[in-house]
Structures are given as structure tokens and as C-alpha cells.
Amino acid sequence: MRYFIELSYRGTAYHGWQTQANGVSVQTTLEAALTRRLRQPVFVMGSGRTDAGVHAQQQFAHFEVEEPIIWTDALLYSINCMLPDDIAIRAIFPVRPTDHARFSAISRYYQYHITRHKNAFESGLTYHFRPALDVERMNEACRILLNHTDFKSFSKARANVTHFRCRLDFAYWERSEANLLTFHIKANRFLWGMVRTIVGTMLEIGQDGMTLDQFDQLINDQDRTLAGRAAPANGLYLVEVGYPDGVLAQRVSPGE
């Protein structure tokens, strides 16, 4: 039996999603709680690998067990009690044997949050960035970004991929509050470090440190050394993972 998990986490204390030899990961922590509660070894596969310090408002993973499990509100509650406060499971539900948390996903939506003023209650959750920014020019850069499909210039050099093509659905900056600036981006897939490097490069554009023509050219050149430095991990959130119709058909939180 294969089950999907819908969860969220604050990534501050973790060395990313994936199991690491040198630090605590979200995946390892989740597997430990499920193994303990279900009294059998449980290994999970996530929809993607968020970096150290990156957060997820919505993440999906799947695991398999030999026998069906009757999921109740009490069972889900007990697993959440075993997890630390910065990881929360919203639902666990059965899926088809062919449904895969990573390979069945058709889109990922990220946000990057920048606060213009220091906030004691958002430490580790936003990037405090004070220099003046031309948000309109940054949105012009987004329109240029949407004209491209190869994003090698924004990928970490050690990325183990066969190609650097991504299909972007949207990319734009939004001032949701006087002191909060949010970058929205959605695509079918993302490269390792891609969103943070795009944000870091656009912050240079917003400070007039790079022209729009230079931005367009660096994408065409497919050279990571021409892009800006990656923005800090603490402002990045995985917001939504999309799947084809039917994959999430049985997603109902116990008690709803």
C-alpha cells in the first residue's frame, strides 16, 4: 500500500529535506516518527529536496507499507505529537501504486519573503534587506525571465541533472504590505539553488547594479558566474506542489 503525506515545516533547524550524513534533515525526522508509531521501518520520498534553512508551507511525500492502515484523527494526532513543533503533518491518505510524490508532480510554486524592517517575530522566516529597490525594474526582469526555458545560469554547478530546461508559469514581485516584498514563481521543475539565485540577481537589478540587457544576456550565456549571489535560505518557501487530477482524490484530513 502506498500513502501520500501532506506536511509543512520550518526549515531553520534542518540541513534540508534530504537525509544528510552531517546533520538532521526533515526526511530523517519524519521517518523516525512514522517508524516508531507504525512499528515498522518507514522510508519516505519527497516531492523535492529543499535546501538547508528553506521552509515548506506545503510539501508532499510518499511511503509504502505491506498492510493497509486505518487512518484516524487519533493516529495522525499521535504522529504529530512525536514530531518536533517545526514539522506538522496535515493529512496521510492512500494513492495508487503508480502515484509518485516526486515524479507525478507537475508543478512547484515558491515564494521568497523579504522584510524591509527588522521584525523580532520573523527571525529566520524572512530576509531582512534594507537597501532601496526598484520593484518595477525587478518585475521587468521577471518578464524577461519568462521568455526563457534554459536556466543553467541560475543552477549550482554540481547539479546532477541531464538538462537545465524549466517551464515557468509565472514570476513576479509583489508588495503585500508596506514592509514586506514577496517574489512568486511557479514552474514544472526547479534546478538546485535556482530560486535563491534568481532572487539574488534581481536584488542587484533592483539596486541598479545590473541592467536588464545584462540580465537577458547572462541567461543566454548559461554561465552561473555571471549571476548574482544566492539570497539567504531563510526567506524561501515551498508553497504548493501540483499533481494531475486524481492523485490527490482521497486527500481528506481525519476529522474533516
Side-chain angles (χ1 to χ4, degrees), residues 2 60 66 81 237 253:
R2 178 169 291 189
F60 283 96
E66 290 295 329
C81 288
Y237 291 76
S253 300

Side-chain angles (χ1 to χ4, degrees), residues 24-162:
V24 179
S25 71
V26 178
Q27 180 183 16
T28 301
T29 305
L30 181 61
E31 288 175 343
L34 290 168
T35 295
R36 179 184 172 192
R37 184 61 184 85
L38 300 181
R39 299 179 182 178
Q40 58 183 299
V42 176
F43 304 96
V44 302
M45 166 65 69
S47 70
R49 303 170 182 175
T50 53
D51 287 343
V54 175
H55 318 293
Q57 292 180 3
Q58 183 187 67
Q59 169 72 294
F60 283 96
H62 77 252
F63 68 94
E64 293 182 341
V65 290
E66 290 295 329
E67 299 294 332
I69 298 170
I70 299 175
W71 292 101
T72 63
D73 187 50
L75 179 57
L76 184 60
Y77 176 78
S78 67
I79 297 172
N80 271 319
C81 288
M82 292 178 179
L83 289 167
D85 291 341
D86 50 13
I87 300 177
I89 296 177
R90 182 179 184 275
I92 300 178
F93 53 95
V95 293
R96 297 165 297 197
T98 55
D99 293 332
H100 194 283
R102 179 182 176 190
F103 297 124
S104 296
I106 57 175
S107 66
R108 283 90 172 170
Y109 169 28
Y110 282 89
Q111 292 179 1
Y112 193 92
H113 296 275
I114 294 175
T115 183
R116 309 291 286 146
H117 302 286
K118 185 176 181 179
N119 187 323
F121 298 100
E122 294 180 346
S123 176
L125 298 175
T126 59
Y127 178 30
H128 177 216
F129 190 83
R130 186 58 182 159
L133 293 169
D134 185 337
V135 179
E136 181 52 42
R137 289 187 75 242
M138 293 160 68
N139 271 319
E140 289 180 31
C142 288
R143 288 188 278 274
I144 292 172
L145 194 71
L146 292 171
N147 291 330
H148 292 270
T149 56
D150 192 303
F151 299 100
K152 185 176 181 179
S153 297
F154 302 117
S155 175
K156 290 185 179 180
R158 294 181 289 113
N160 184 23
V161 295
T162 58

Side-chain angles (χ1 to χ4, degrees), residues 112-114 127 129 133 138 141 145 153-154 173 183 185 193-210 215 218 224 226-233 235-236:
Y112 193 92
H113 296 275
I114 294 175
Y127 178 30
F129 190 83
L133 293 169
M138 293 160 68
L145 194 71
S153 297
F154 302 117
W173 289 89
F183 178 57
I185 187 167
M194 178 175 166
V195 179
R196 291 169 55 198
T197 305
I198 290 174
V199 171
T201 305
M202 288 194 176
L203 289 177
E204 288 191 16
I205 294 171
Q207 297 173 87
D208 204 23
M210 178 184 294
F215 180 67
L218 78 85
R224 172 64 184 88
L226 300 176
R229 68 176 182 85
L236 184 59

Side-chain angles (χ1 to χ4, degrees), residues 166-238:
C166 307
R167 186 198 69 248
L168 297 187
D169 294 331
F170 57 71
Y172 62 94
W173 289 89
E174 176 187 38
R175 290 188 186 275
S176 55
E177 298 176 11
N179 67 335
L180 185 64
L181 183 62
T182 304
F183 178 57
H184 303 261
I185 187 167
K186 181 179 179 181
N188 65 321
R189 66 190 288 260
F190 286 93
L191 305 170
W192 187 16
M194 178 175 166
V195 179
R196 291 169 55 198
T197 305
I198 290 174
V199 171
T201 305
M202 288 194 176
L203 289 177
E204 288 191 16
I205 294 171
Q207 297 173 87
D208 204 23
M210 178 184 294
T211 68
L212 294 172
D213 287 341
Q214 288 174 325
F215 180 67
D216 192 35
Q217 189 59 49
L218 78 85
I219 301 175
N220 286 322
D221 288 343
Q222 300 181 14
D223 186 350
R224 172 64 184 88
T225 64
L226 300 176
R229 68 176 182 85
N234 58 292
L236 184 59
Y237 291 76
L238 174 60

